[in-house]
Amino acid sequence: MNKPFVFAALLSVSAALGAPGALAAGDASAGKAKANTCAGCHGADGNSANPEWPKLAGQHPDYMVKQLKEFKAGDRENATMAPMAAPLSEQDMQDLAAYYAAQEPQYGEADPELVELGEQIFRGGNKASGVSACMACHGPAGKGNPAANFPALAGQHATYTEIQLKAFRSGARANDYGSMMRNVAARMTDAEIKAVASYIQGLR
C-alpha cells in the first residue's frame, strides 16, 4: 500500500479518536445576530480584512466550536479571543459556527514567486526532512475533512497561516490532536512556511 495513503489514514483515525462528539446543529439566523460582536475583527460575513485575523467564512462548524471552547478554557491562548469566548454558552458557539459556515469565503492570490515551493509542500511535503503533505489531512483543494475535524484552509490569509504554523512550531499553540501540527511544523523551515501559506491563500 502506498505510504502517503497509509499516513493519511492513520492521521484521520487519530483525529477521529480525539475529536469531540457530534454537536447539535446551531441556528445560523441566531448566529448572525450574535456575530455582530465578532464583525470588528472577522468581518460581517466572516471574511476578515486584517490578514493577521482568520477568515471564518465557510469553515467547518465543529472545528469552530472546538476553537471557541478552547479559547474559553485557555487550552488555546490568545489575549483577544479569551475574553470574547468567555461569556459564550455552547449554544452561542454552535449558532456562531453555523452562521460562519454558511458564509461564502473570499479567496486570495498566491505570490507567483512562492507557488512552486508552496505547491510542493502542500501536495508532496518534504521527504528529506519528514514534512508531511498538507493535503493528506486538509484535502487536495484545501477544503479540510469535517469528519476528522481537520479545518478548511483554502483562501485563508497567508499572514494568519504563517503565524499559526510558527506558533505550532514553537509550541506556543498546542491544541492540535496528538501533536500532529506541532510535529509537522517542527520540521518546516521559515521559507517552507511562508511559501505554503501563500499557496494556501490562492487555493480555491
Side-chain angles (χ1 to χ4, degrees), residues 66-90:
K66 176 182 183 292
Q67 301 310 305
L68 287 170
K69 284 183 174 181
E70 291 173 351
F71 281 129
K72 182 172 182 174
D75 296 327
R76 181 176 176 185
E77 296 182 9
N78 184 282
T80 301
M81 281 304 303
M84 300 300 292
L88 298 178
S89 67
E90 180 157 336

Side-chain angles (χ1 to χ4, degrees), residues 46-70:
N47 287 289
S48 60
N50 188 325
E52 294 186 4
W53 298 330
K55 296 179 183 179
L56 304 180
Q59 188 56 266
H60 306 307
D62 282 3
Y63 179 78
M64 283 189 278
V65 170
K66 176 182 183 292
Q67 301 310 305
L68 287 170
K69 284 183 174 181
E70 291 173 351

Side-chain angles (χ1 to χ4, degrees), residues 144-164:
N145 182 342
N149 222 7
F150 295 142
L153 301 179
Q156 187 58 264
H157 292 303
T159 300
Y160 175 76
T161 300
E162 185 173 352
I163 289 169
Q164 296 309 306

